[in-house]
Amino acid sequence: MRSSVFDSKSIALAYAKALAGICAILIIAVEISSIYLLKHHSVTYARVSRQYDEAVKMRPAGPGEPPCVLMVGNSLLLHGVELNRLRALTSGSMRIYPIFLEATGYYDWLYGLQRLFRQGARPQVVVVGVGVNYFLKNGVRQDYAPMLFFDARDTLAVASDLHLDRTATSNLLLAHSSTFWDTRSAIRTQVLSHVVPHVEDLFLLVNPKPAIPEGREFEEITIPRLQRLRELCEAHGAKLILLVPPTLSSESAVSQMADAARTAGVDISVPIDPAALSAKFYRPDGMHLNPEGAVLFTSALAKDLPERVVTRDTQASRVARSIPLPLTATVQIADREH
């Protein structure tokens, strides 16, 4: 009797080990397949990873060279800024290193910049342009961002900042460590895009714009976030510029953001007043500029940004601000600036 029971347990254990082995092989196969698909078929991954690698190599410009500018943002800049045009118009005044990832907001770039600095990126100016709606968003992009922008400790810090529960925190950690888990929604989107034409436009239409609070609630959210970003950039020798791309009927939100930026001590660039652009310059979603709108915005940005990049923020002036100066030297510098 004992022998038959022992044999049954041995058989069950063997089956369990075989099942576990099969599952492990399947998991490894799925992960390898996801890595292959990501590196060979994902346009987003190819673009962002290339831009990220270039940004990590950024170093302060030498004497007589234009300053290095790291420009980060989401689809508002991806569709609204013609990079080749902007670089051609500003080649003598700055060198632009862009990283644009759709659907990213404040927390994505707070920790994305933190990791870039940690890996050695040394821009002289950081331009953050995600739009007012996504700057106020309490969340992070669930794919690409955890894998490309976060370390494991960053993932836990994001979870703490957002007060995520254990399930959401586990999902974020898995997205950071597993290519399949990180890209599963992107894979679904790719499949749908082949089945349903123009599915991206459909998503833009059905996804509501994030709500914008008013008054004191707006200030209580934006000012601490702006200060935190500014302190992060200044700790690594960079000036922060908040870039606000236009969206349809966003005049009030842009005005509130400008007031908050001034309170936080952050330079803000609003190249085009949203009231000056009619609906014909936007895509159907009312948020993203169409090609005609992008030309206008890029041209305006090329005029506005270089002045903000060079004003009082050459490498020498930042070094001077970091070293206590005698009173006479301080007065001399102030006289030169005026």
Side-chain angles (χ1 to χ4, degrees), residues 27-206:
I27 290 172
I28 293 172
V30 168
E31 187 70 13
I32 293 174
S33 299
S34 299
I35 294 172
Y36 176 83
L37 290 172
L38 180 72
K39 292 185 176 181
H40 293 85
H41 297 281
S42 173
V43 176
T44 299
Y45 175 82
R47 182 189 73 243
V48 177
S49 59
R50 182 186 68 254
Q51 292 175 338
Y52 190 97
D53 290 342
E54 291 173 353
V56 168
K57 300 173 184 176
M58 292 179 67
R59 296 297 180 269
E65 297 177 347
C68 294
V69 177
L70 174 61
M71 182 180 292
V72 301
N74 54 22
S75 56
L76 294 180
L77 296 191
L78 180 64
H79 296 298
V81 176
E82 294 188 342
L83 280 173
N84 291 336
R85 180 181 179 84
L86 181 62
R87 282 173 166 153
L89 292 172
T90 61
S91 58
S93 56
M94 57 185 181
R95 287 186 295 168
I96 299 173
Y97 293 78
I99 307 178
F100 300 155
L101 178 58
E102 300 91 322
T104 49
Y106 165 75
Y107 282 107
D108 299 280
W109 291 113
L110 173 67
Y111 286 98
L113 289 171
Q114 193 166 282
R115 186 170 184 238
L116 277 164
F117 286 132
R118 202 160 54 232
Q119 292 183 326
R122 289 297 178 266
Q124 291 164 277
V125 178
V126 174
V127 178
V128 177
V130 296
V132 179
N133 303 75
Y134 285 95
F135 191 87
L136 299 171
K137 180 182 176 183
N138 287 318
V140 294
R141 176 168 173 149
Q142 296 297 309
D143 55 339
Y144 292 113
M147 176 175 58
L148 292 171
F149 295 167
F150 304 159
D151 286 338
R153 59 178 170 176
D154 294 330
T155 305
L156 294 175
V158 168
S160 177
D161 279 346
L162 296 175
H163 306 292
L164 300 182
D165 58 27
R166 293 180 180 178
T167 301
T169 301
S170 299
N171 282 332
L172 208 57
L173 282 169
L174 280 170
H176 166 70
S177 56
S178 167
T179 301
F180 167 73
W181 200 260
D182 183 275
T183 58
R184 66 195 189 283
S185 62
I187 293 172
R188 287 197 301 268
T189 302
Q190 288 294 322
V191 172
L192 281 173
S193 67
H194 286 84
V195 176
V196 182
H198 308 295
V199 69
E200 295 87 355
D201 295 334
L202 178 62
F203 286 153
L204 292 175
L205 290 173
V206 300

Side-chain angles (χ1 to χ4, degrees), residues 228-245:
R228 192 174 177 185
L229 273 176
R230 175 177 58 80
E231 291 167 359
L232 172 64
C233 292
E234 289 181 349
H236 294 86
K239 173 186 179 180
L240 172 66
I241 297 176
L242 181 68
L243 172 61
V244 183

Side-chain angles (χ1 to χ4, degrees), residues 131-137 209-215 217-218 221-222 247-254 256-257 287:
V132 179
N133 303 75
Y134 285 95
F135 191 87
L136 299 171
K137 180 182 176 183
K209 298 179 182 179
I212 296 180
E214 298 287 340
E217 184 182 358
F218 185 95
I221 296 173
T222 54
T247 56
L248 196 60
S249 303
S250 61
E251 299 89 343
S252 175
V254 171
Q256 290 184 84
M257 182 61 83
M287 288 193 69

